[in-house]
Amino acid sequence: MDFGGLTEIVSATVIELVANDTVALARGEYRTWPLPAGRFQITLTSARDAWNTPPILAADGANCALYRSPELTMHCVVERAATVMVRMPEQSSAAETNVAVRIVRRPEMKMRPRSLRASR
């Protein structure tokens, strides 16, 4: 970057917005989104206040890790294709719940091979 003669090298991460939806889900109802191969971050937030009963976030065909703080977030690696699902549990106290769903595709990480030599 060049700011009036001052130059600085900076890095940037470019993400692809796959979905940015707000869905209203009744008890037991679900929605799905297809995912192609790649790395993804799926984030669920309440469209209003905190949930009494949080939605269920799951994926089929992906290797995922789920985090619950401060939002419900899942990081997934998809080899070929997968489906991500958001479902409201049958036990939800609300007849209908609004859920904001954001799915972003992150760039592939380049891993450097580690040395196979054992340390002494």
Side-chain angles (χ1 to χ4, degrees), residues 45-84:
T45 54
S46 173
R48 294 185 194 141
D49 300 322
W51 295 299
N52 290 333
T53 305
I56 296 167
L57 177 59
D60 182 35
N63 183 3
C64 301
L66 188 63
Y67 303 92
R68 295 191 184 271
S69 176
E71 304 145 327
L72 189 58
T73 301
M74 190 164 62
H75 295 271
C76 296
V77 176
V78 178
E79 291 282 331
R80 292 183 192 98
T83 302
V84 66

Side-chain angles (χ1 to χ4, degrees), residues 5 9 13 17 22 39 45 50-51 64 69-70 87 91 93-94 104 111:
I9 296 174
T13 302
L17 184 61
T22 299
R39 292 180 57 234
T45 54
W51 295 299
C64 301
S69 176
R87 183 174 71 82
Q91 308 87 333
S93 59
V104 295
M111 301 296 288

